[in-house]
Amino acid sequence: AAKEAGRNTYQYYSQDVLAGIQRRLQIEHALHGALEREEFQLVYQPLVNVDGTRPPAIEALLRWVCPELGPCSPAEFIPVAEKCGEITRIGEWVLNEACRQAAAWHAAGLMFERIAVNVSAMQLRERGFAEQVIAICERHRWPPHRLELELTESALIRDSDALRQCFDTFERNGVLLAVDDFGTGFSNLHYLNRFPVQRLKIDRSFVQRMLHDAGTAEVTQAIVHLGHALGMQVVAEGVETRQEEAMLLRQGCDEIQGYLYSRPLPSRDMAQWLRRCDEGDGPGPQAPTQAD
Ligand code: C2E
Ligand code: MG
Ligand code: MG
Ligand code: MG
């Protein structure tokens, strides 16, 4: 019986694996030409500066509604796009669209400090990536020091001359760098000194647990101390409640991002949020909206 159960388990497992592969193949197929068919869109989420001395920043997040598969989360399709090489062109589109929108908002008099764009490890390794970023800023007359690239730890652990040159170009031009999902990479922290990083983003998984688990709260506190000791700013992502915010503020966190202030919004709604923020006495928590 045990043998049979084992065999069944194996069958279930292989079915799962098969379904996963099938789904990835479907996504890969659907991604082909998705740019040309204009299936991508950006949504925007504010990062709120807690001492109120600076206007909020904005992170651009990619959305894809595939005609065949329906809405597909970036957590699912970005890894596929990385594997099939499509991320290069998609990533370039994201940078271009984010800078275009940011420049248009500034031209319309909306106040925000910087626009943050997620960049995959594969883009960073591409030849000429830094020059491409600067060229996109120039095209839209967007100041490079108002552009922040969010990188994951995995993008930073592999040191190379090419990567160094890339970061040199960013530093010379004032492009800002943030480490996204900080604390989830289990990497050594050497890269924090080697590369011109200005900001750490505490991963949402820590924020979720910090109120219920003293150990996790110590981790977030340690990240804030570490960031500040290295002259960096520290952001918490995925902040949903006043209680979470209060603890992060006590810990010295510089910026708060999460549903507490706003969900990711389509560009129109983001513009309205910025306008309200500028007219009122700074951004306050908002009722959760439907948009994502
Ligand atoms: P990320 O950069 O760490 O972005 C934060 C994610 O958390 C976003 O998910 C955002 O919608 C979600 N989030 C923000 N606040 C809250 C909150 O209070 N509660 C909860 N439950 N979630 C919150 P999203 O948009 O699905 O993106 C997932 C990941 O996909 C991103 O994580 C990023 O790694 C990647 N991604 C998104 N857009 C791009 C892109 O243009 N290029 C690349 N390379 N990756 C992207
Ligand atoms: Mg991010
Ligand atoms: Mg993040
Ligand atoms: Mg994250």
Side-chain angles (χ1 to χ4, degrees):
K3 214 173 179 180
E4 208 156 78
R7 206 159 42 229
N8 285 337
T9 308
Y10 172 73
Q11 276 175 357
Y12 276 119
Y13 180 68
S14 67
Q15 292 259 309
D16 265 11
V17 170
L18 202 63
I21 292 170
Q22 243 159 14
R23 169 85 179 161
R24 276 201 299 280
L25 285 173
Q26 280 174 337
I27 290 173
E28 187 175 331
H29 184 255
L31 272 177
H32 194 76
L35 261 182
E36 287 71 19
R37 294 189 298 271
E38 300 184 15
E39 291 169 9
F40 294 107
Q41 209 199 319
L42 293 184
V43 291
Y44 301 89
Q45 190 180 34
L47 290 75
V48 174
N49 167 235
V50 293
D51 63 19
T53 57
R54 291 179 290 125
I58 298 173
E59 179 177 359
L61 293 159
L62 186 57
R63 291 294 176 266
W64 179 36
V65 181
C66 171
E68 295 106 60
L69 306 171
C72 189
S73 125
E76 189 176 19
F77 75 78
I78 295 275
V80 181
E82 284 175 336
K83 228 163 248 161
C84 66
E86 201 70 16
I87 191 66
T88 307
R89 294 195 313 127
I90 296 173
E92 185 179 356
W93 180 85
V94 170
L95 274 161
N96 196 66
E97 178 61 13
C99 290
R100 184 199 64 73
Q101 181 61 266
W105 280 333
H106 258 213
L110 295 171
M111 293 270 286
F112 58 99
E113 193 197 52
R114 63 185 194 277
I115 184 100
V117 175
N118 295 283
V119 167
S120 103
M122 198 165 268
Q123 287 174 272
L124 202 62
R125 269 183 247 125
E126 224 179 291
R127 187 196 281 269
F129 176 67
E131 287 72 23
Q132 179 189 89
V133 169
I134 304 306
I136 287 172
C137 287
E138 279 169 2
R139 180 181 314 153
H140 300 287
R141 298 176 197 280
W142 183 250
H145 68 268
R146 289 185 180 277
L147 173 65
E148 185 161 77
L149 305 181
E150 294 195 0
L151 312 167
T152 54
E153 289 170 89
S154 61
L156 297 166
I157 41 176
R158 276 214 287 188
D159 196 1
S160 68
D161 282 348
L163 195 61
R164 226 162 250 279
Q165 278 173 23
C166 187
F167 285 125
D168 281 349
T169 304
F170 290 146
E171 201 171 18
R172 269 200 318 278
N173 289 275
V175 174
L176 304 165
L177 300 177
V179 184
D180 208 346
D181 306 330
F182 187 77
T184 60
F186 306 109
S187 69
N188 71 52
L189 300 174
H190 252 80
Y191 69 85
L192 286 179
N193 276 322
R194 282 199 315 248
F195 299 131
V197 173
Q198 284 82 23
R199 209 174 315 273
L200 300 180
K201 295 190 77 175
I202 301 175
D203 191 64
R204 176 156 66 87
S205 58
F206 296 114
V207 175
Q208 265 171 341
R209 289 199 308 266
M210 68 184 303
L211 288 177
H212 318 288
D213 176 40
T216 304
E218 276 171 37
V219 171
T220 58
Q221 178 66 84
I223 295 175
V224 173
H225 285 325
L226 173 69
H228 288 173
L230 294 168
M232 300 171 188
Q233 297 237 317
V234 181
V235 190
E237 64 174 20
V239 180
E240 297 185 353
T241 69
R242 272 292 177 201
Q243 293 91 312
E244 287 163 355
E245 181 190 48
M247 180 175 273
L248 287 158
L249 295 191
R250 273 202 306 278
Q251 295 190 343
C253 213
D254 303 287
E255 284 181 342
I256 299 287
Q257 178 180 21
Y259 295 173
L260 176 65
Y261 284 98
S262 171
R263 287 181 176 256
L265 302 171
S267 55
R268 236 168 228 278
D269 298 345
M270 188 66 238
Q272 208 172 24
W273 190 95
L274 287 170
R275 223 169 273 127
R276 269 205 307 267
C277 176
D278 199 27
E279 284 163 3
D281 45 0
Q286 314 210 325
T289 55
Q290 297 298 1
D292 189 24

